[in-house]
Amino acid sequence: MAVIIDGKQISASVKDEVRKEVEQLNQQGICPCLAVVIVGDDPASRVYVNNKKKACAYTGMESREYALSGETSEEELLKLVEELNRDNSVNGILVQLPLPKQIDETKILHAISPAKDVDAFHPVNVGKIMVGDYDFLPCTPAGCMELIRSTGVSVEGKSCVVVGRSNIVGKPMAMLLLHANGTVTICHSKTRNLAEICRQADILIAAVGKAKMITGDMIKEGAVVIDVGMNRLPNGKLCGDVDFESAKEKAGFITPVPGGVGPMTIATLMKNTLTAAKVQHGLKELK
Ligand code: BQF
């Protein structure tokens, strides 16, 4: 039976660390501020934005929400991003994804000033992550690394398998594991013998977006299993990419959904917003 990794608790201690640093900045007259932009009324996005605003309040940071209609044009959104880039009272800018279809996501993400890019989606920041010398942490992958660290299992020399190759999770996740000296394999929808490859993993990261697709028979005895999935079942329940019931019988450590990776994503966002504020107040230099 696996030890269940408590993401909620670990995220709380990360946020407490951030809060302490925010208090120190407050004494110097600095209040870190995150601008959160949401376009349209996707209910999941609404929940995520509220989680981010709550975390700002918890850590003592300011959040400003910009809620735009689902009919907003790309040009209008670009104009807002440029305003926020220029606004010295805004330290971090986050545009909630996905965006409505009339807006080119890439174009928007590339318009955010790299110094305020707390999601680390701008190519400048993506490049820095690739090189291994970065200012902003990729939120979900860095959250996963923190969860792995909490188990006491070292990544060095281990077989790490990342299932999923998205720009937001899979690819940066593979990079962070590589920087930690893991031996990294990335699997995706075209991978042959997925089960066999997964069974080699000492550390398995599931980031595919398919409910319960990683089953117990695909897991090595004692492995660390990190479930990034956020799937909504027909009954309304939230469910990961890992079949928790069968996986927990094989894994050494496993994250639940909810209460695993999700809260860590938010905690890392808070760290990044703090970093952005420090950089913009000359207390830290960009790499
Ligand atoms: C929890 C996200 C897919 C696509 C876009 C806590 C969050 C989720 C779960 C959260 C996510 C997922 C976010 C829990 C932000 C993580 O208790 O388990 C927090 O708010 N997330 C997002 O902004 O965009 C997404 C997943």
Side-chain angles (χ1 to χ4, degrees):
M1 262 290 269
V3 172
I4 296 169
I5 304 171
D6 188 345
K8 201 133 185 122
Q9 193 196 317
I10 299 163
S11 74
S13 61
V14 171
K15 286 187 289 186
D16 286 338
E17 293 295 314
V18 171
R19 180 162 67 176
K20 279 187 209 139
E21 283 206 56
V22 170
E23 275 165 14
Q24 287 175 357
L25 289 182
N26 287 344
Q27 281 164 9
Q28 304 173 59
I30 297 166
C31 183
C33 172
L34 175 66
V36 183
V37 181
I38 176 167
V39 187
D41 52 10
D42 175 56
S45 291
R46 192 60 259 166
V47 170
Y48 299 148
V49 164
N50 287 345
N51 288 344
K52 292 167 192 184
K53 288 166 68 180
K54 263 190 266 171
C56 284
Y58 182 90
T59 53
M61 300 196 274
E62 187 190 344
S63 64
R64 278 186 217 157
E65 180 179 316
Y66 297 82
L68 309 183
S69 111
E71 277 78 60
T72 301
S73 69
E74 188 177 279
E75 196 183 8
E76 284 171 289
L77 182 55
L78 277 173
K79 206 171 135 242
L80 173 60
V81 167
E82 278 152 19
E83 254 171 58
L84 295 172
N85 283 342
R86 281 192 303 270
D87 187 338
N88 288 328
S89 69
V90 168
N91 305 118
I93 302 171
L94 179 146
V95 177
Q96 184 63 43
L97 302 182
L99 290 169
K101 56 184 176 336
Q102 74 276 12
I103 300 174
D104 179 351
E105 240 166 53
T106 306
K107 216 161 168 183
I108 302 300
L109 297 181
H110 292 200
I112 296 171
S113 162
K116 296 189 178 186
D117 175 33
V118 288
D119 262 333
F121 291 160
H122 189 286
V124 164
N125 290 320
V126 173
K128 288 182 177 185
I129 291 162
M130 179 104 186
V131 171
D133 212 4
Y134 40 96
D135 314 294
F136 295 121
L137 304 159
C139 292
T140 299
C144 293
M145 291 302 287
E146 196 93 43
L147 294 176
I148 296 167
R149 214 170 296 128
S150 80
T151 66
V153 173
S154 162
V155 173
E156 187 160 296
K158 298 284 168 55
S159 162
C160 305
V161 174
V162 180
V163 190
R165 55 170 152 180
S166 71
N167 289 325
I168 293 176
V169 182
K171 282 189 220 170
M173 186 74 237
M175 279 303 137
L176 299 197
L177 290 165
L178 187 59
H179 296 151
N181 296 317
T183 301
V184 183
T185 304
I186 305 175
C187 299
H188 47 78
S189 54
K190 307 283 187 232
T191 296
R192 293 176 199 171
N193 345 321
L194 177 67
E196 210 172 297
I197 297 168
C198 287
R199 269 194 294 273
Q200 307 287 316
D202 300 305
I203 296 166
L204 181 64
I205 314 284
V208 258
K210 257 181 86 180
K212 301 186 187 194
M213 81 154 289
I214 306 292
T215 47
D217 60 297
M218 299 165 78
I219 293 168
K220 178 174 175 174
E221 196 76 47
V224 177
V225 178
I226 306 289
D227 189 352
V228 184
M230 276 279 139
N231 309 290
R232 187 71 62 180
L233 293 178
N235 67 12
K237 267 184 74 177
L238 210 54
C239 164
D241 293 345
V242 176
D243 177 42
F244 189 82
E245 288 311 312
S246 64
K248 75 177 198 303
E249 302 300 324
K250 295 286 287 294
F253 300 87
I254 190 168
T255 64
V257 177
V261 173
M264 295 305 295
T265 299
I266 307 292
T268 310
L269 175 67
M270 297 300 106
K271 276 195 187 178
N272 284 345
T273 305
L274 176 63
T275 298
K278 284 190 202 163
V279 166
Q280 279 144 59
H281 286 94
L283 301 170
K284 190 176 180 150
E285 279 190 55
L286 284 177
K287 298 210 167 101

